[in-house]
Amino acid sequence: MFAGKKILVGVTGGIAAYKVAEVISRLRKLHAEVHVAMTKSATEFIAPLTLQSLSANPVHVELFDEPKLWNVEHIALAKHIDVVVVAPATANILTKMAIGLADDFLSTVLLATRAPIFVAPAMNHAMYHHPATQANLALLKDRGIQAIGPDTGFQACGTEGDGRMSEPVEIVESLARFFAGVEWLKGKRALVTAGGTQEPLDPVRYLGNRSSGRMGYAIAQVLQEAGAETILVSAPTDLPTPFGVTKLSVQTALEMYDAVLARFHEVDVVVMAAAVADYRPAVQAEQKIKKNGSNRTLELVPNPDILAQLGRMKTSQILIGFAAETENLLANAQLKMQRKNVNLIVANDVTKPGAGFGSPTNIVSFLFPDGRRIDLPQMNKLEVGRHLVRELAGLFGMDIKE
Ligand code: PMT
């Protein structure tokens, strides 16, 4: 599907610039015509000669170089290409794109072209979460620019967090989907739950759990990217709402139950990634409970099992549940799959390092009612979500072989 496609790879100055060599190499192997424009800072991270050799085309850096291919080169290139992918896309280039600044070859082409643009943001997580970067990204997405990633994980600055450039294979896959026109879940409506419910004891305390919401938010993001109209029913988290996703905030299991059931008949798939409290305090004190020095006993009453209820109500909907286990992972997950009548259960052993609560990564197995099982290695939660989307497309009867 890449044969003859004219792709401009814009490279900006971040450590992830070295990974773009693989993007270019993969695109060339798939018979794309690849052009490269680098910012001056990018040339500090990777030599233009490397990218020239891999792309088999001259690399553009300076706006006023001798023309290499056409006259008024940046305009000619802007018209020539079918798609642009900026990888890595630094906070700086995102800002320039947002305000329309054209002060070097790449930013000028980005302003001049009418070809679709993809960006693969890559930066330190604090820079990524800065309101300025988030506002720029939101503005660019509003204009139709598509973001690939970023992923979460170890960063070159020594910290962990969001802001790692997506892997080259994912960047190429995104372009492949674009050229194939494949949005697997276009026309589908999805509902995802995320985070840990909070069950109030009094106005200042609650019973909660360790869920950060990352798993559910990642799934909502990839479902949306795959074309599904996505609702995220979220218990309290610190996470930004994925672009384009409709978020409904809840606190307790009962609120989540009401929010999910109210929308169940409107959706084609529900993914229950939330950690829902099985019990809540029998009484919620109206005032802060005072200490009195003696032991206290807390009476708990069961919460409804949302997923089991959906399992009883489902007609054509696909139900995906999670099983958070600390022992007998597969056997317990299997039982939950049957008891809750789901089409797929994602089993995670939440005691494993790099899996479960709070971690940017997870280690999961997908279990299906027909006995099929897929064991995935440790990977970041967006990648888990992408694997899940593929399986979901399969459950909808689509041919998911690429
Ligand atoms: O949020 P993160 O920090 O990223 O962590 C991710 C995660 C560990 C929370 C996630 O991967 C996960 O395992 N989510 C499910 C947690 C859970 O409650 O598992 P469970 O085995 O207790 O419940 C089984 C399924 O029933 C789940 O899909 C759950 O959402 C659902 N359930 C549970 C209880 C209840 N009252 N109603 C429900 O719908």
Side-chain angles (χ1 to χ4, degrees):
M1 85 190 47
F2 282 99
K5 295 289 188 277
K6 299 176 279 292
I7 302 172
L8 173 65
V9 180
V11 189
T12 66
I15 181 64
Y18 79 92
K19 288 192 192 171
V20 86
E22 191 184 335
V23 174
I24 294 169
S25 161
R26 282 176 180 270
L27 291 173
R28 284 268 295 147
K29 281 185 196 142
L30 294 164
H31 310 292
E33 178 185 313
V34 182
H35 299 272
V36 180
M38 302 175 77
T39 61
K40 255 197 138 58
S41 338
T43 65
E44 302 284 338
F45 288 94
I46 186 162
L49 187 58
T50 308
L51 303 189
Q52 178 170 323
S53 310
L54 289 169
S55 67
N57 268 316
V59 167
H60 307 270
V61 180
E62 302 288 353
L63 198 47
F64 300 110
D65 270 352
E66 282 293 297
K68 295 178 178 101
L69 292 174
W70 304 281
N71 256 339
V72 199
E73 215 171 352
H74 54 277
I75 300 296
L77 189 59
K79 284 188 184 154
H80 180 68
I81 51 186
D82 296 313
V83 67
V84 188
V85 57
V86 184
T90 56
N92 192 51
I93 193 74
L94 297 175
T95 308
K96 283 198 206 178
M97 290 168 76
I99 62 175
L101 188 70
D103 65 349
D104 62 5
F105 190 94
L106 177 60
S107 52
T108 308
V109 177
L110 288 168
L111 197 60
T113 192
R114 291 298 168 262
I117 301 176
F118 286 76
V119 291
M123 66 199 76
N124 158 275
H125 67 98
M127 293 169 76
Y128 177 66
H129 284 296
H130 193 285
T133 309
Q134 289 301 314
N136 288 334
L137 265 172
L139 182 65
L140 294 175
K141 286 175 177 173
D142 265 355
R143 290 188 197 143
I145 290 173
Q146 300 187 56
I148 307 170
D151 285 352
T152 301
F154 183 76
Q155 299 204 294
C157 53
T159 54
E160 289 234 348
D162 303 326
R164 264 172 71 93
M165 188 174 89
S166 289
E167 292 305 318
V169 64
E170 284 169 22
I171 295 174
V172 173
E173 263 186 23
S174 299
L175 294 175
R177 278 198 292 275
F178 163 74
F179 283 123
V182 174
E183 282 186 299
W184 278 326
L185 303 181
K186 204 169 177 67
K188 301 286 182 203
R189 288 153 306 168
L191 187 152
V192 182
T193 64
T197 62
Q198 298 178 349
E199 310 298 325
L201 281 163
D202 68 14
V204 299
R205 304 180 181 91
Y206 60 81
L207 295 179
N209 63 65
R210 297 175 194 279
S211 171
S212 63
R214 284 176 163 205
M215 190 67 253
Y217 275 59
I219 291 170
Q221 178 177 332
V222 296
L223 286 169
Q224 181 73 23
E225 284 171 2
E229 210 177 290
T230 305
I231 301 170
L232 177 62
V233 177
S234 177
T237 73
D238 295 332
L239 302 172
T241 308
F243 183 76
V245 167
T246 305
K247 179 168 130 177
L248 304 171
S249 296
V250 297
Q251 186 190 8
T252 63
L254 285 177
E255 287 170 13
M256 186 170 275
Y257 180 89
D258 288 342
V260 172
L261 263 72
R263 281 149 195 96
F264 187 51
H265 296 293
E266 303 163 14
V267 299
D268 302 293
V269 55
V270 175
V271 184
M272 286 287 307
V276 186
D278 289 321
Y279 292 91
R280 64 182 185 278
V283 179
Q284 185 185 332
E286 291 210 348
Q287 304 302 330
K288 183 179 170 192
I289 300 168
K290 301 284 181 208
K291 64 177 173 228
N292 61 11
S294 28
N295 292 354
R296 279 186 183 276
T297 305
L298 186 61
E299 191 191 346
L300 300 175
V301 293
N303 273 326
D305 188 318
I306 306 169
L307 189 55
Q309 178 59 21
L310 300 182
R312 287 187 287 271
M313 290 167 60
K314 82 171 174 185
T315 49
S316 58
Q317 294 92 342
I318 301 235
L319 284 187
I320 300 181
F322 270 72
E325 305 297 338
T326 57
E327 58 180 349
N328 303 327
L329 176 69
L330 297 175
N332 285 337
Q334 184 84 33
L335 282 177
K336 279 183 187 166
M337 176 169 60
Q338 285 156 359
R339 215 173 52 230
K340 304 193 185 208
N341 189 24
V342 298
N343 304 78
L344 192 177
I345 198 145
V346 183
N348 47 183
D349 178 342
V350 292
T351 62
K352 274 196 186 160
F357 295 109
S359 163
T361 58
N362 208 350
I363 306 167
V364 303
S365 295
F366 294 160
L367 275 66
F368 300 84
D370 62 7
R372 258 184 328 127
R373 192 177 102 206
I374 299 172
D375 298 323
L376 295 178
Q378 181 174 347
M379 60 182 66
N380 74 50
K381 286 177 174 169
L382 274 174
E383 286 176 71
V384 173
R386 290 190 186 109
H387 283 273
L388 194 65
V389 162
R390 279 201 193 96
E391 294 310 319
L392 177 59
L395 290 172
F396 278 125
M398 293 166 208
D399 181 5
I400 55 169
K401 308 271 178 309
E402 275 188 49

